[in-house]
Amino acid sequence: MRHNFLSIPRETLPERGVKDRIHDYGEYASRMEDGPIVKQAERCMDCGTPFCHVGDLIGQETIGCPIHNLIPEWNRLVSDQDFFRAYERLMETNNFPEFTGRVCPAPCEGSCTLGISEDPVAIKSIERTIIDRAFEQGWVKPRHLRQRTGYRVAIIGSGPAGLAAADQLNQLGHTVTVLEKADEIGGLLYYGIPNMKLDKGVVRRRVDLLEAEGIRFKTGVNVGEDVTVEALRGEYDAVILATGAQKQRTLGIDGDDASGIELAMDYLTASTKQLNGKDLDPRHDAGGKHVIVIGGGDTGADCVATAIRQGAASVTQFGKHPEKGLYRSPERPWPLQPDTLSTDYAYAEAIGQYEADPRTYLIRSNQIVTEGDKVVGIETERMEKIVKPDGHATFFVVEGSEKTYPADLVLVAIGFERPEPELRKLGVESKRDYVTDVDGVFVAGDARRGQSLIVWAIREGREVAEKVDAYLETCQTELKTSS
């Protein structure tokens, strides 16, 4: 086994062929077989000083796994073909590895020590294979508690932060109720990530497990309208706000209110609802249309993949940053994410369908071109990015670079605004360490830190659960003292 990192190449999850998968919404990747995944785990075995599980920040950059997954330990167990103990070790730190193994951007791999000189260990692929195998073998079963504390906790929001907090608190013996304003549990896991990346059956399977363990779920409850936080505080011993950062950013340019301009999350939500049997609003149907996706992140890529499946005539994606390099740049030294150019699933599909990469770079959208009230194009300019010695970047317009792109549907995927105004509407102010200015009300996830990664959301859910548990223990102590 020694020095296998020198002889075994990196291998990741097998993917269905592009020409096949673009005609359905099934997951494009599947778990690896035992033989290949054991070899991938062996690539980890000679690591002297692992950084993959550090889980810290340098500035705003994530270093390693924020939930401190015991990656070297479960890699060792996989290399020994002890998949059951690998599953047990994986579950010690990660409530939902079937989610992270599919949709996490894997900062652990960016901080993999092997990645300094070779391709990093395929950590995310190993993680998904462990948990998928565990479900196949029937190892994942409801954990039933013998005793309850009597304390009741309400969690507003059923995304990864809310679900992680619910799981932790439930296992501590508290009675947990999760309130979700949508008609399905999962938050962005359900409606924000398309089915080909995260099958909704995978989400429902975990929710069913949590429900079997005693967590109560209520859908169609819009806190702030149907019930107030104050009312919940009167009914429950503690309340956690895990509502996410829900307000999507808009373009803020002339014509951005025209028909045919749609926010990415509304578009992706509509697509998932169609899979659930609901009619697709024509506004969210890319069939036969020239589609522009504004925003170069993962959500933008998901819009590209969805538009392809709907039969778009063409898809172009605008990004404001330069094209990434093939190799780690000096500005992003290890253990930062290398942030190199990759052809993710959506772009491979676009190349296969249209024989061209949909990504364009350094594009600034200046104005929406309309006929009547409907979009027909976007006026743009190309930018040049100059990085100053102090690290700050400045963008300049390239003279004579004006170009109008035809468009029948424009999908805006430029992120979410900070959630503070949304919290104030609920009557609270966010404070440090998950605590708000209202006694017994806590906040976690994107609602606290702003838009972030799924692994940060899970960490936030786990940590706010610790704060709530300590708060409830203090309440119990005070009650005993006063009596």
Side-chain angles (χ1 to χ4, degrees):
M1 186 182 298
R2 291 193 58 79
H3 307 309
N4 279 344
F5 66 93
L6 294 174
S7 58
I8 299 175
R10 174 181 165 93
E11 183 179 349
T12 56
L13 301 175
E15 298 183 3
R16 298 163 57 201
V18 166
K19 291 296 186 181
D20 171 41
R21 71 193 195 215
I22 62 172
H23 298 294
D24 62 54
Y25 288 82
E27 287 189 342
Y28 72 91
S30 58
R31 80 164 180 89
M32 297 178 75
E33 297 299 322
D34 291 356
I37 208 65
V38 167
K39 286 186 174 296
Q40 287 307 300
E42 288 176 357
R43 299 182 73 234
C44 177
M45 291 302 97
D46 287 313
C47 182
T49 307
F51 274 73
C52 53
H53 60 315
V54 169
D56 208 345
L57 289 172
I58 296 180
Q60 298 299 313
E61 295 284 348
T62 299
I63 306 301
C65 178
I67 51 178
H68 308 299
N69 272 335
L70 304 173
I71 296 165
E73 296 186 32
W74 41 258
N75 276 345
R76 163 65 71 182
L77 292 166
V78 170
S79 73
D80 292 338
Q81 302 188 51
D82 192 345
F83 287 95
F84 180 73
R85 290 180 61 205
Y87 157 67
E88 289 185 316
R89 191 71 84 244
L90 176 59
M91 294 305 299
E92 287 185 22
T93 56
N94 191 349
N95 303 73
F96 315 120
E98 68 272 34
F99 301 158
T100 54
R102 286 168 166 80
V103 301
C104 179
C108 54
E109 294 187 10
S111 300
C112 173
T113 307
L114 180 57
I116 298 174
S117 57
E118 304 286 342
D119 290 331
V121 174
I123 299 169
K124 179 177 172 181
S125 298
I126 298 171
E127 177 182 39
R128 173 172 172 182
T129 298
I130 292 171
I131 188 62
D132 281 5
R133 199 179 192 280
F135 275 106
E136 292 166 9
Q137 296 294 323
W139 298 336
V140 187
K141 299 176 181 178
R143 302 156 294 173
H144 297 293
L145 297 176
R146 295 181 179 178
Q147 188 173 353
R148 291 283 175 180
T149 64
Y151 285 111
R152 293 158 51 85
V153 180
I155 299 176
I156 305 169
S158 67
L163 290 181
D167 188 22
Q168 295 295 107
L169 288 166
N170 183 61
Q171 289 303 310
L172 289 168
H174 307 307
T175 300
V176 179
T177 301
V178 178
L179 308 175
E180 169 58 53
K181 70 177 182 180
D183 59 348
E184 294 281 356
I185 297 296
L188 293 186
L189 292 169
Y190 198 93
Y191 280 126
I193 300 173
N195 204 73
M196 48 275 197
K197 282 176 69 174
L198 176 59
D199 188 278
K200 302 315 154 195
V202 173
V203 180
R204 291 193 190 102
R205 180 179 62 187
R206 178 58 67 174
V207 172
D208 289 345
L209 272 167
L210 296 174
E211 194 166 32
E213 292 173 347
I215 297 174
R216 302 169 184 176
F217 293 101
K218 295 182 179 180
T219 57
V221 180
N222 191 345
V223 176
E225 295 184 10
D226 301 327
V227 63
T228 65
V229 172
E230 183 180 8
L232 291 174
R233 187 65 187 91
E235 183 180 354
Y236 294 89
D237 299 292
V239 176
I240 299 173
L241 306 179
T243 55
Q246 301 179 43
K247 187 174 182 181
Q248 301 174 70
R249 293 194 182 103
T250 59
L251 290 175
I253 61 176
D254 289 345
D256 69 352
D257 58 348
S259 174
I261 311 294
E262 298 293 334
L263 297 176
M265 209 52 62
D266 298 342
Y267 172 71
L268 295 174
T269 296
S271 175
T272 298
K273 287 187 175 182
Q274 184 187 29
L275 289 180
N276 289 347
K278 297 184 179 179
D279 292 337
L280 183 66
D281 189 313
R283 297 178 304 158
H284 300 129
D285 187 356
K289 297 177 182 177
H290 296 288
V291 178
I292 301 289
V293 178
I294 301 180
D298 287 342
T299 300
D302 292 339
C303 289
V304 170
T306 302
I308 291 170
R309 283 162 175 76
Q310 290 181 343
S314 68
V315 183
T316 304
Q317 184 178 19
F318 292 172
K320 70 176 182 179
H321 294 290
E323 183 175 0
K324 299 174 183 178
L326 296 176
Y327 304 100
R328 185 190 293 270
S329 69
E331 291 78 24
R332 301 195 61 81
W334 178 88
L336 298 179
Q337 282 276 60
D339 201 27
T340 52
L341 182 67
S342 62
T343 304
D344 293 336
Y345 85 107
Y347 306 130
E349 292 170 357
I351 292 169
Q353 180 69 2
Y354 305 115
E355 299 184 347
D357 194 315
R359 292 171 286 188
T360 58
Y361 303 93
L362 290 166
I363 298 294
R364 183 173 78 175
S365 301
N366 290 334
Q367 182 174 323
I368 302 298
V369 182
T370 60
E371 288 183 1
D373 65 347
K374 190 176 187 324
V375 61
V376 294
I378 305 179
E379 292 181 1
T380 69
E381 291 175 305
R382 192 160 54 84
M383 307 295 290
E384 182 179 2
K385 182 180 180 180
I386 304 296
V387 180
K388 299 179 180 179
D390 62 3
H392 288 87
T394 304
F395 291 85
F396 298 94
V397 174
V398 177
E399 283 192 39
S401 63
E402 298 85 358
K403 180 177 179 179
T404 298
Y405 288 82
D408 305 304
L409 175 62
V410 176
L411 302 173
V412 182
I414 54 177
F416 297 82
E417 296 182 9
R418 296 288 296 184
E420 285 86 351
E422 298 166 20
L423 294 178
R424 284 194 288 271
K425 289 179 182 177
L426 295 175
V428 303
E429 292 280 353
S430 178
K431 304 295 182 183
R432 297 182 64 182
D433 294 331
Y434 304 97
V435 178
T436 73
D437 59 336
V438 178
D439 179 57
V441 179
F442 301 80
V443 61
D446 288 2
R448 186 182 84 95
R449 63 183 290 124
Q451 183 180 359
S452 191
L453 308 179
I454 181 176
V455 277
W456 277 111
I458 293 173
R459 173 168 165 174
E460 293 256 319
R462 293 171 69 92
E463 291 186 347
V464 76
E466 292 179 4
K467 297 290 182 181
V468 171
D469 185 54
Y471 170 80
L472 295 175
E473 286 184 3
T474 301
C475 291
Q476 188 177 42
T477 301
E478 290 175 350
L479 285 171
K480 288 180 179 179
T481 302
S482 62
S483 61

